Amino acid sequence: MMGWTGALALFCFCELIAYLTITSFSALVTNGRMRGGGAYFMISRSLGPAFGGSSGLLFWITYCLNVTFNTRSFTDVVFQTFFEPAWPGSATFTNELAFSSATLFFLFLVAFKGAAAFARVNSRIFLGLVVALAAAIGSVWLQRTAKTIVPDLGALPYIPADAGMGGLAAEYRPWAWDAPCTARAGGGA
């Protein structure tokens, strides 16, 4: 186990590699006049066909994997929000697979239609994300009543019985300057 310092160091190292890669490609791409091929044209002309082709192939593979992960995450969020949880082999799992496939087919149609269709869909997705973020932030920070997250911390299976948390509740108070630890009736602490 690396601990939190090792995890932070690993994260910083990965971000450094990503930053150096992005700045290198940005320097290559913006160092000349763009023509028909766009960024990949510039990279292949600056680095040569071997490096340009291999970087283009890696970008393509990365985008393909990214689409599948994002589609699966989108499906998970939709089904966890609006439907019962699923397990492999259940009918809901089959519905999730069908929903993911339909989403991927929709994305294929948008890509097949061209850049103008992508720009229209992308602006609508951006607007939807802005509305969703505003609703999420508003529901968290504009609510003045406390929400009970865990009614009894001592009843959680991973809390030892002798930890002295029986009867304590975990509450979320977005507007509270202090969060007193209050014991529930019938519990300790």
Side-chain angles (χ1 to χ4, degrees):
M1 295 293 215
M2 294 187 310
W4 71 270
T5 55
L8 184 63
L10 185 64
F11 177 75
C12 290
F13 181 70
C14 292
E15 286 296 319
L16 176 69
I17 290 174
Y19 175 75
L20 291 175
T21 305
I22 290 168
T23 54
S24 299
F25 277 124
S26 297
L28 287 173
V29 169
T30 60
N31 202 14
R33 190 171 155 233
M34 287 287 181
R35 287 191 223 154
Y40 294 120
F41 176 80
M42 288 298 293
I43 291 170
S44 67
R45 294 303 178 260
S46 299
L47 297 175
F51 287 115
S54 63
S55 64
L57 182 65
L58 286 175
F59 275 139
W60 179 77
I61 291 171
T62 304
Y63 285 133
C64 288
L65 290 173
N66 188 23
V67 164
T68 58
F69 285 129
N70 288 340
T71 304
R72 181 63 190 164
S73 298
F74 172 69
T75 303
D76 281 345
V77 168
V78 167
F79 274 78
Q80 285 178 3
T81 304
F82 299 112
F83 303 106
E84 292 292 320
W87 60 91
S90 70
T92 309
F93 184 76
T94 307
N95 293 342
E96 286 183 12
L97 183 64
F99 187 80
S100 292
S101 300
T103 303
L104 280 174
F105 185 69
F106 172 73
L107 293 175
F108 166 75
L109 290 177
V110 170
F112 189 72
K113 202 92 168 131
F118 172 76
R120 283 192 305 270
V121 169
N122 203 22
S123 63
R124 289 185 180 123
I125 289 173
F126 176 72
L127 183 65
L129 286 174
V130 168
V131 169
L133 282 173
I137 291 170
S139 68
V140 170
W141 294 108
L142 299 179
Q143 182 179 14
R144 298 195 179 264
T145 59
K147 290 274 189 189
T148 301
I149 300 169
V150 179
D152 186 9
L153 290 172
L156 294 174
Y158 47 85
I159 302 287
D162 59 348
M165 296 198 155
L168 287 179
E171 293 181 348
Y172 175 71
R173 300 169 184 231
W175 287 97
W177 288 100
D178 61 345
C181 242
T182 57
R184 296 274 183 204

